[in-house]
Amino acid sequence: MNLLAKSAEISDTICISGEELFSPAKCRIMAGPCAAESRDQIMRTAERLAELGIRVFRAGCFKPRTDPYAFQGAKENGLRWLEEVRDTFGMKIITETSDYTNFQAVANVSDIIQIGAKAMYDHSLLRAAGRSKKPVLIKKHFAATVEEMFRMADYALLEGNRRIMFCERGIRTFETASRFTLDLCGAEYMKHQTKAPIILDPSHAMGACYGVPDIAKACVAMGCGGILIEVHHDPEFALCDKAQAVNLDDFEKLYAALKKIGHIVGREVA
């Protein structure tokens, strides 16, 4: 049986409230902190990103951490802060649902529902995301194949949702110099197997802020549909994944560089 993820039925263009955010000619930058920590943190970061022209703000409110003693997210409070970001700055919101218990709360607030790598195999989440009809970003598990991700996506597609995006965020290999290994070969394969936007996540793959800019540039150069970048107003004091967070000044420089690369390869970076 042919996978819907590879079919002509899947969308290559995703609009939200009449605004075209993802299309074959665009590379959409989705930026913001790994986790919503406080209202001040969220609003300060969003204000600066909005001034730069970022249209999609990312921050996690329910954080499925490997360490049970680590910060688990601001939960419903975080969702309220994200709503304020949309109301104040007009940005679209992408945030993660970690399991079925918080799916509806996330779906009520987010413009794009993110299903994280740890939840890629959660059939109940995938089906619920399909029924929601909202755009869904599925992150590939660090030990999954591309074909496995496509098969999991079909759980959402079979519910009638054609607005699916696929995210490569790094796979686990023998290499320990970086947090994961960003599989650009796998991403290139995805580009030729599905019409859906292919999103890359250099922050989670590298795990260190010094490497994020160069990897992000490579992502734009290969013609991806979007990039997730972790940005924090004060990374030293971030409560989640602080090592990979780019500060606002460095992000401003990076964003300008990404736009130039986009122009060279024929993609609008926005």
Side-chain angles (χ1 to χ4, degrees):
M1 182 179 293
N2 292 328
L3 291 171
L4 286 174
K6 296 183 178 182
S7 75
E9 297 178 46
I10 199 165
S11 299
D12 64 356
T13 299
I14 295 177
C15 299
I16 300 174
S17 301
E19 180 180 358
E20 185 181 273
L21 288 172
F22 300 89
S23 75
K26 284 187 171 67
C27 176
R28 178 64 61 188
I29 307 300
M30 296 173 276
C34 177
E37 302 164 2
S38 69
R39 179 185 178 278
D40 178 68
Q41 169 236 18
I42 288 297
M43 296 304 288
R44 287 175 63 182
T45 306
E47 181 177 23
R48 180 78 175 275
L49 294 176
E51 288 173 352
L52 294 175
I54 296 298
R55 297 295 304 128
V56 182
F57 186 77
R58 53 82 40 94
C61 301
F62 299 91
K63 300 299 298 180
R65 308 294 296 281
T66 302
D67 181 356
Y69 303 102
F71 177 64
Q72 302 291 311
K75 302 180 173 59
E76 286 79 6
N77 284 334
L79 292 176
R80 284 194 288 272
W81 302 330
L82 294 182
E83 283 187 297
E84 189 173 355
V85 166
R86 179 169 49 224
D87 293 343
T88 304
F89 304 112
M91 303 169 86
K92 307 304 181 187
I93 301 299
I94 177 171
T95 192
E96 179 177 356
T97 173
S98 61
D99 58 58
Y100 196 73
T101 63
N102 55 54
F103 174 82
Q104 197 56 55
V106 168
N108 288 342
V109 171
S110 64
D111 296 291
I112 303 169
I113 298 169
Q114 176 179 311
I115 296 179
K118 294 184 178 74
M120 190 198 87
Y121 293 102
D122 189 327
H123 299 168
S124 64
L125 275 185
L126 293 163
R127 288 192 178 102
R131 291 191 297 270
S132 79
K133 301 300 188 290
K134 286 194 170 185
V136 180
L137 183 145
I138 301 174
K139 282 195 167 188
K140 184 160 69 71
H141 189 274
F142 51 76
T145 67
V146 172
E147 292 296 319
E148 287 171 339
M149 180 173 64
F150 284 162
R151 198 159 292 279
M152 290 301 103
D154 269 19
Y155 280 95
L157 289 160
L158 285 168
E159 297 292 338
N161 193 347
R162 297 294 183 261
R163 300 196 294 169
I164 305 292
M165 294 176 278
F166 297 105
C167 180
E168 162 58 41
R169 48 84 73 195
I171 59 176
R172 181 164 286 170
T173 68
F174 59 83
E175 183 55 71
T176 59
S178 58
R179 186 177 182 181
F180 293 97
T181 298
L182 189 64
D183 184 12
L184 295 185
C185 293
E188 185 65 21
Y189 175 79
M190 282 188 262
K191 282 171 53 184
H192 288 270
Q193 294 295 317
T194 181
K195 292 164 50 186
I198 306 303
I199 311 301
L200 297 173
D201 184 346
S203 299
H204 273 94
M206 185 67 207
C209 63
Y210 70 83
V212 171
D214 282 348
I215 299 173
K217 292 170 187 175
C219 293
V220 172
M222 74 169 292
C224 67
I227 303 176
L228 285 163
I229 300 179
E230 291 189 5
V231 183
H232 197 286
H233 77 284
D234 196 353
E236 183 181 353
F237 296 99
L239 298 179
C240 183
D241 290 346
K242 66 180 182 180
Q244 64 203 40
V246 176
N247 68 45
L248 286 163
D249 289 339
D250 287 343
F251 176 78
E252 182 173 359
K253 297 172 187 174
L254 171 59
Y255 189 43
L258 296 179
K259 284 180 171 291
K260 292 179 182 178
I261 295 170
H263 179 73
I264 293 171
V265 300
R267 287 226 173 197
E268 178 191 358
V269 175

